Amino acid sequence: NAGVTQTPKFQVLKTGQSMTLQCAQDMNHEYMSWYRQDPGMGLRLIHYSVGAGITDQGEVPNGYNVSRSTTEDFPLRLLSAAPSQTSVYFCASRMGQFRAWSGYTFGSGTRLTVV
Amino acid sequence: DAKTTQPNSMESNEEEPVHLPCNHSTISGTDYIHWYRQLPSQGPEYVIHGLTSNVNNRMASLAIAEDRKSSTLILHRATLRDAAVYYCILRDGMEYGNKLVFGAGTILRVKS
């Protein structure tokens, strides 16, 4: 199994550009989420989804859009990139919508720089 | 969200046991205790979780206090590969989505 796959691994954007960070999992996990991690800080939740067609905002959703049309994919869209969105982005998934005991599987991250 | 308190950093010698503490004095009866770790330049990795009883798996052991207000992650023999940031996180089984909310964690340094 590939687990959680994130693409691209690295990206440089100019201010105002838009782009989509891809996340795919092959474990049939219902729950998927996106985090960002800034230097010296912990991970902060951007958006999450408890299943196909259902998404919700996390702690820092502004400037990002998500959709969940399939169980496998959960893309993160930056609408108009800003330097404050320079960060490392992690996608994660887990079994079950409401299983507080299930462990998360994380992707290897996308390092985004906005200039 | 119920909060956890962890030391900022700890140091261990290679091949020795490591006990990483976590305080969660406001834990509720439906909160699960989870531990994750993040190796340098990698995504977080699930380590272990528990509710009331002590737990063991191939990576570590989790000791939970009887009143559940604290827990300890035990690495039985630290290796250089165990150098990472360790996060203790509570997840509420009754909360919609029971999100994984990260704090600052404990930086574990392992000396050879």
Side-chain angles (χ1 to χ4, degrees):
Chain A
N1 284 346
V4 176
T5 302
Q6 291 185 236
T7 56
K9 293 192 183 306
F10 301 93
Q11 183 71 49
V12 179
L13 286 180
K14 293 182 179 178
T15 298
Q17 286 185 319
S18 63
M19 80 158 293
T20 299
L21 278 62
Q22 301 292 344
C23 176
Q25 54 90 11
D26 60 359
M27 298 170 285
N28 202 30
H29 285 175
E30 293 97 330
Y31 185 104
M32 297 185 73
S33 54
W34 277 101
Y35 292 84
R36 61 175 288 175
Q37 186 171 33
D38 300 324
M41 295 184 66
L43 285 83
R44 291 184 291 171
L45 182 64
I46 305 172
H47 285 285
Y48 65 99
S49 169
V50 298
I54 306 169
T55 63
D56 265 296
Q57 295 183 352
E59 183 184 356
V60 288
N62 291 342
Y64 307 94
N65 272 359
V66 292
S67 61
R68 184 94 180 271
S69 56
T70 67
T71 300
E72 295 79 17
D73 300 298
F74 191 43
L76 178 72
R77 297 182 187 85
L78 279 70
L79 309 173
S80 177
S84 61
Q85 293 179 304
T86 294
S87 189
V88 180
Y89 292 83
F90 291 102
C91 180
S93 71
R94 71 158 204 259
M95 288 175 56
Q97 294 183 0
F98 306 113
R99 299 178 188 174
W101 58 87
S102 61
Y104 284 66
T105 300
F106 281 80
S108 57
T110 294
R111 188 173 297 273
L112 176 68
T113 301
V114 182
V115 299
Chain B
D1 296 325
K3 301 297 184 187
T4 63
T5 304
Q6 299 178 253
N8 291 335
S9 63
M10 292 183 65
E11 201 168 75
S12 170
N13 293 319
E14 201 176 9
E15 303 293 321
E16 291 185 356
V18 181
H19 290 234
L20 295 162
C22 181
N23 287 321
H24 28 78
S25 59
T26 60
I27 191 171
S28 74
T30 55
D31 282 330
Y32 285 76
I33 303 162
H34 282 253
W35 283 82
Y36 283 75
R37 73 179 185 180
Q38 187 174 20
L39 279 67
S41 301
Q42 295 189 26
E45 174 185 30
Y46 167 80
V47 177
I48 200 166
H49 78 274
L51 183 61
T52 58
S53 303
N54 295 344
V55 185
N56 300 300
N57 66 20
R58 62 174 181 81
M59 290 181 68
S61 295
L62 177 60
I64 302 172
E66 196 168 333
D67 63 5
R68 299 186 72 232
K69 293 186 176 183
S70 66
S71 61
T72 302
L73 179 71
I74 302 166
L75 306 179
H76 296 287
R77 288 178 66 210
T79 68
L80 296 177
R81 195 192 173 278
D82 291 320
V85 180
Y86 286 79
Y87 299 96
C88 170
I89 302 170
L90 301 183
R91 282 176 56 196
D92 186 355
M94 297 299 292
E95 179 197 18
Y96 175 81
N98 50 79
K99 300 180 289 291
L100 193 67
V101 179
F102 287 82
T106 296
I107 299 171
L108 175 65
R109 298 183 178 89
V110 180
K111 298 185 297 182
S112 59

